[in-house]
Amino acid sequence: MGDEMDSTESRAGSPSPLQLVKRALPDLNGAMQRVAEHVLAHPDEVARGSITKLAEAAGTSAATVTRLSAHLGFAGYPALRAAVAMEIGRGLEAGWAGDIGLAIGPADPPDQVLNVLASTQANALRNALASIDLAAATRVADAIAGARRTHIYGEWGDAIPARELYIRLLRIGIPVWFFDGPQSSQIAGGLLGPGDVALLVTRSGIDQTGLEFVRRSHDEGALTVAITGVPSSPIGELADISLDTGTQVGGTWTEFFAGRASDTLTAGLLFVLVAQRVPDHLTANHPNGPGQPVVRHPDT
């Protein structure tokens, strides 16, 4: 029966070993039930552990573990353990691929991880250099430098370059505010008017809150600006000016991380272009330079 189990488990659509244990559980009792419950509760331990450790954890004997393995259709505990390990490995691999992506593996050494991350950002920067419309960026900088108010919106990962731009503009005396939530962004859009600027960072260009921020700001007469990787997106097309970063939204963290460099580069470009238009602000508003202000305490 063990040989049949091995071939059956290899076919697509066959139940996983943990499913087999779960299905068998209602018909088990005593020591075998305790073993099955432990397998379900701690599959990672079973995948790495010996038959003795599993028996001790369940408060029974190795013979009971062997009987349960046979009851489930495995040739013995080693076959059950191997099947559980394979199932866990598939789950971890699928979860990793769906989140981090396939460019980096869970067992890759640190130097390889660093090289992959550095190369993805280098590619993103090259894409940004080929994609950013400098005439459009100049128009945005002119508008921000002369605006009564500039409201910046960014949420989750997009908030990182958005908040960085906000901090830098604030430091040089630009009247600027940052918003990162649905309600606050709607209030922000309603406070703007002709001559003001509404700017958001959105890699995908499809988030509903960002779309409503642009729409409300546009209705109030403000200049709307989108820093985005998809200028053909709903937000990109609605905004008065879309600054294409050259990196579209990806399905994994590695892909998203790659575009962070292009987002930050675009935001940094806007900051410097604005600073060029108000050079006197750099010393008037922050005599201690580009870092944090120096706090001087009286001698004690």
Side-chain angles (χ1 to χ4, degrees):
M1 186 173 182
D3 293 339
E4 294 177 359
M5 186 67 203
D6 290 340
S7 61
T8 301
E9 284 300 299
S10 64
R11 292 198 297 265
S14 299
S16 73
L18 297 180
Q19 288 176 321
L20 290 174
V21 175
K22 187 177 295 185
R23 291 177 184 178
L25 191 59
D27 298 327
L28 301 176
N29 53 52
M32 286 180 62
Q33 184 181 65
R34 293 198 304 272
V35 174
E37 289 173 345
H38 190 83
V39 170
L40 291 174
H42 306 283
D44 53 334
E45 291 183 9
V46 175
R48 300 190 306 267
S50 65
I51 188 172
T52 302
K53 288 184 177 181
L54 176 55
E56 291 177 351
T60 186
S61 65
T64 302
V65 176
T66 299
R67 285 199 301 273
L68 175 63
S69 301
H71 180 79
L72 296 173
F74 293 92
Y77 175 69
L80 171 61
R81 181 179 61 186
V84 172
M86 183 176 296
E87 181 66 21
I88 291 176
R90 280 196 295 261
L92 290 175
E93 184 177 348
W96 179 278
D99 191 310
I100 305 299
L102 298 175
I104 302 172
D108 288 348
D111 61 331
Q112 185 172 338
V113 173
L114 178 60
N115 286 333
V116 170
L117 294 180
S119 64
T120 58
Q121 286 211 335
N123 289 334
L125 290 174
R126 284 193 291 269
N127 292 337
L129 287 173
S131 302
I132 296 174
D133 185 336
L134 293 178
T138 299
R139 182 184 169 196
V140 174
D142 287 337
I144 292 176
R148 179 181 62 96
R149 306 174 70 97
T150 292
H151 288 180
I152 298 177
Y153 167 79
E155 201 165 354
W156 199 235
D158 293 328
I160 297 172
R163 185 177 286 276
E164 169 76 7
L165 178 58
Y166 155 72
I167 291 171
R168 296 307 171 191
L169 292 175
L170 182 67
R171 183 177 67 81
I172 62 174
I174 298 298
V176 59
W177 288 261
F178 174 79
F179 304 89
D180 63 354
Q183 185 172 357
S184 64
S185 65
Q186 281 300 292
I187 294 173
L191 292 174
L192 296 175
D196 295 335
V197 177
L199 182 149
L200 80 161
V201 179
T202 171
R203 178 75 60 75
S204 66
I206 62 173
D207 59 286
Q208 189 61 36
T209 301
L211 189 63
E212 292 302 323
F213 172 67
V214 173
R215 183 177 290 120
R216 180 70 184 274
S217 302
H218 184 272
D219 289 345
E220 297 297 331
L223 176 71
T224 55
V225 181
I227 296 177
T228 179
V230 190
S232 61
S233 64
I235 293 177
E237 292 184 342
L238 180 62
D240 296 314
I241 300 177
S242 290
L243 295 177
D244 183 4
T245 66
T247 303
Q248 296 189 6
V249 65
T252 65
W253 177 86
T254 306
E255 294 170 327
F256 195 85
F257 173 81
R260 182 60 61 235
S262 58
D263 296 342
T264 303
L265 175 63
T266 307
L269 170 66
L270 288 180
F271 163 66
V272 176
L273 292 179
V274 172
Q276 287 179 332
R277 282 146 181 77
V278 289
D280 55 311
H281 283 38
L282 272 69
T283 55
N285 291 284
H286 203 306
N288 295 307
Q292 295 296 323
V294 176
V295 179
R296 291 185 171 85
H297 300 282
D299 294 334
T300 56

